[in-house]
Amino acid sequence: FVKMSFNLVQSLDSHQDRVWCVSWNPKGNLLASCSSDRTIKIWGKEGGIWICKSSFADQHNRTVRSVSWSPCGNFLAAASFDATVSIWDRRNGEFECIATLEGHENEVKSVAWSCSGNYLATCSRDKSVWIWQTEEEEYECASVLSKHTQDVKAVVWHPNIDIVASCSYDDTINLYKEDDDDWVCFDSLAGHTSTVWSISFNKSGDRIVSSSDDKTLKIWQSYEPKNMEGIKVKQNSSCWKCICTLAGYHLRPIYSVDWNHQNDLIASCSADDSIKIFKQDDAECFDKRNEPVFNLVGNLEKAHLQDINCLKWNPKDSSILASCSDDMSIKIWNFSL
Amino acid sequence: AIIKMSGLQNANPEIYESVGDRIVTDEEKNEEVYDCFDAREIFDLIRYINDPEHPLTLEQLNVVEEKNIQIDDTQNSLQVYFTPTIPHCSMATLIGLSIRVLLLRSLPSRFKVDVMISPGTHVSETAVNKQLADKERVAAALENIHLLNVINQCLKMC
């Protein structure tokens, strides 16, 4: 077991109900959070202490489920059970709601911005994924993707190209890309035996880690056309295979997973109230590309008093991790190996 | 929608006898001894839940029974299995949701509660169990005022 330390930096306690999601801005100096208390809060450091800098209570009349920053850091999107997504602009110093995206039939579960900043993806209990094109503060629906057969839980974009992944109550992960002016699903990843709650790409975007209600994490590898392994690939597409399953670590559903783009560590959190950190074994005896081995290098039991819903690595300081819980708190952690 | 309201599912359900009151032991009366939650205590919480379509309790319909409750207070774990009166009962999700909401309101938040159908007693067992275990869908359902009113009716005398 590698020696590691987990220190609580601060607990942020002003939400009045379960906190569903946290999201760092690209600079890593602001954290957005959202809750069943229907508010969106922005947290920043002042005098070495994290404080709530803004709180928005009037935009959504139901749970706010997901928040996401644009890659430029100027915009924040928030998805709500009220079937809408709000877009916030902070260029004038204050956050101002500049648009409301409507179209989903019911609860919006997740929202995410593409790396180019040109697209926004949303997904809903209505089983669809919507791609929105953004141009000069106008948001237009570019595609409605109905490949999933159940409630879609999360959408996440590839870190470098305009590919988006979604995961669902139908136990699968779908991957979409633009093809001749339309968006198409080019691969569907089956293997989990229950709801897939969360997905995260590694830094180069050739791997995905997924977390599920089946209490496992899975690592998926992309195989490009003419790959060395001879894996058959559809024309001009990548094909994804599960190359590792991490089972037996979490005792209850795993609600969130995040792949650290600076040090390659994977963090996961669960309804078992724990946070776990995994690291790939770099020993030469393993086929590191096709059959990698991941070891548990950090384990924090009772990180929160109740289910942990989301966690995110700070994009600039790889030792900082934020988590949020049904216990209404957000916690900032310092993790080091 | 999480439930479908329709005509009576089971027009003539079998009615079972209630169990008596819990006998309180001297040890339980001792305020200085920590009193763990036990199956009987959980049963006493949920036995008076009303059936959505009959003026009867879940105990009277044998939907809930003490023997189908597993609790480990030290591990904060609780599993409640309930038995729909008929294998096609479309009220199964609503009944499970009522049990879940009552336990949510009554028990300390440290408990991890699983509400499931007794194995082999419902045609859609897996689908109903998955729905009841999905706390996000449960949370969304409980923001629906109409549904919340129906559940509160089921919980009225509890």
Side-chain angles (χ1 to χ4, degrees), chain B residues 119-139:
Chain B
T121 64
H122 196 274
V123 289
S124 308
E125 184 184 322
T126 313
V128 173
N129 285 347
K130 189 172 186 179
Q131 174 99 296
L132 290 172
D134 186 322
K135 70 167 186 181
E136 185 187 59
R137 290 163 72 110
V138 169

Side-chain angles (χ1 to χ4, degrees), chain A residues 252-253, chain B residues 77-81 100 103 112-116 133:
Chain A
R252 295 188 66 84
Chain B
S77 112
L78 169 60
Q79 287 92 42
V80 175
Y81 291 91
R100 217 176 194 294
L103 294 172
K112 303 289 182 185
V113 181
D114 297 305
V115 175
M116 293 162 286

Side-chain angles (χ1 to χ4, degrees), chain A residues 14 27 54 86 96 115 148 162 210 226 305 311 318 328:
Chain A
S14 69
K27 281 186 181 163
S54 315
S86 56
E96 186 192 355
C115 61
H148 283 298
D162 285 336
S210 57
K226 296 176 186 159
L305 296 171
L311 53 65
S318 63
M328 304 194 271

Side-chain angles (χ1 to χ4, degrees), chain B:
Chain B
I2 195 161
I3 53 156
K4 284 191 202 113
M5 300 302 279
S6 55
L8 283 185
Q9 288 285 310
N10 185 0
N12 294 300
E14 203 170 330
I15 300 172
Y16 296 78
E17 212 169 311
S18 290
V19 303
D21 287 340
R22 178 195 181 103
I23 297 154
V24 181
T25 64
D26 284 342
E27 194 187 318
E28 285 167 341
K29 286 181 190 159
N30 184 349
E31 296 287 334
E32 285 170 16
V33 179
Y34 178 73
D35 185 7
C36 281
F37 283 94
D38 58 24
R40 176 58 201 253
E41 220 162 334
I42 303 303
F43 179 65
D44 281 346
L45 286 170
I46 62 175
R47 62 194 279 209
Y48 303 110
I49 296 174
N50 299 303
D51 181 78
E53 57 179 11
H54 294 287
L56 294 165
T57 67
L58 295 188
E59 179 191 19
Q60 289 171 314
L61 293 168
N62 235 26
V63 172
V64 295
E65 293 172 85
E66 185 180 340
K67 71 174 174 60
N68 292 336
I69 297 169
Q70 285 158 21
I71 185 162
D72 185 338
D73 187 298
T74 58
Q75 297 298 312
N76 298 324
S77 112
L78 169 60
Q79 287 92 42
V80 175
Y81 291 91
F82 67 102
T83 314
T85 55
I86 48 167
H88 290 86
C89 180
S90 71
M91 297 288 164
T93 309
L94 179 60
I95 291 169
L97 207 50
S98 300
I99 297 171
R100 217 176 194 294
V101 170
L102 180 73
L103 294 172
L104 208 65
R105 291 175 183 170
S106 318
L107 290 177
S109 56
R110 64 183 167 91
F111 273 102
K112 303 289 182 185
V113 181
D114 297 305
V115 175
M116 293 162 286
I117 289 180
S118 304
T121 64
H122 196 274
V123 289
S124 308
E125 184 184 322
T126 313
V128 173
N129 285 347
K130 189 172 186 179
Q131 174 99 296
L132 290 172
D134 186 322
K135 70 167 186 181
E136 185 187 59
R137 290 163 72 110
V138 169
L142 297 180
E143 287 184 2
N144 175 334
I145 300 296
H146 167 69
L147 182 59
L148 195 60
N149 282 339
V150 174
I151 290 169
N152 283 335
Q153 284 300 314
C154 293
L155 302 182
K156 213 165 186 178
M157 297 302 285
C158 292

Side-chain angles (χ1 to χ4, degrees), chain A residues 90-305:
Chain A
R90 63 182 287 252
R91 283 176 298 178
N92 296 329
E94 297 287 310
F95 284 84
E96 186 192 355
C97 183
I98 54 162
T100 304
L101 312 186
E102 294 175 358
H104 281 294
E105 281 171 35
N106 38 44
E107 295 96 280
V108 188
K109 298 292 179 72
S110 174
V111 58
W113 239 291
S114 71
C115 61
S116 62
N118 295 334
Y119 297 105
L120 198 66
T122 58
C123 66
S124 161
R125 196 166 68 87
D126 69 14
K127 307 173 188 175
S128 69
V129 172
W130 288 44
I131 311 287
W132 306 79
Q133 196 156 8
T134 73
E135 222 167 313
E136 291 170 22
E137 292 167 41
E138 293 289 314
Y139 295 82
E140 242 180 80
C141 177
S143 191
V144 175
L145 300 156
S146 305
K147 174 81 175 167
H148 283 298
T149 58
Q150 292 285 348
D151 189 357
V152 191
K153 297 300 194 183
V155 278
V156 174
W157 289 86
H158 188 285
N160 311 313
I161 46 177
D162 285 336
I163 282 179
V164 64
S166 63
C167 57
S168 164
Y169 190 86
D170 71 12
D171 309 349
T172 69
I173 299 160
N174 287 338
L175 291 161
Y176 317 85
K177 65 172 184 179
E178 204 171 11
D179 185 27
D180 273 350
D181 254 13
D182 200 9
W183 288 75
V184 292
C185 175
F186 68 89
D187 205 358
S188 190
L189 285 47
H192 279 297
T193 56
S194 191
T195 302
V196 188
W197 281 105
S198 168
I199 39 184
S200 180
F201 282 93
N202 67 346
K203 188 184 182 184
S204 59
D206 64 353
R207 279 183 179 172
I208 289 173
V209 59
S210 57
S211 80
S212 167
D213 192 67
D214 69 15
K215 308 180 187 87
T216 73
L217 296 165
K218 285 182 183 288
I219 314 280
W220 310 79
Q221 168 81 43
S222 159
Y223 293 92
E224 302 301 317
K226 296 176 186 159
N227 61 79
M228 302 180 300
E229 289 79 6
I231 289 167
K232 279 190 187 163
V233 172
K234 271 189 255 167
Q235 202 182 6
N236 300 328
S237 276
S238 55
C239 164
W240 294 70
K241 298 275 179 212
C242 179
I243 52 165
C244 180
T245 299
L246 296 166
Y249 294 102
H250 282 291
L251 304 173
R252 295 188 66 84
I254 311 172
Y255 290 130
S256 175
V257 63
D258 194 35
W259 207 320
N260 191 319
H261 286 186
Q262 295 163 87
N263 58 19
D264 223 23
L265 296 176
I266 292 170
S268 61
C269 64
S270 158
D272 68 13
D273 308 351
S274 78
I275 293 174
K276 303 201 191 284
I277 313 282
F278 299 91
K279 182 179 189 289
Q280 184 169 349
D281 196 321
D282 52 13
E284 290 300 326
C285 52
F286 302 117
D287 176 354
K288 282 176 281 189
R289 177 169 149 89
N290 302 298
E291 291 175 65
V293 171
F294 285 79
N295 295 321
L296 183 73
V297 293
N299 182 20
L300 186 62
E301 301 284 348
K302 298 189 173 76
H304 282 267
L305 296 171

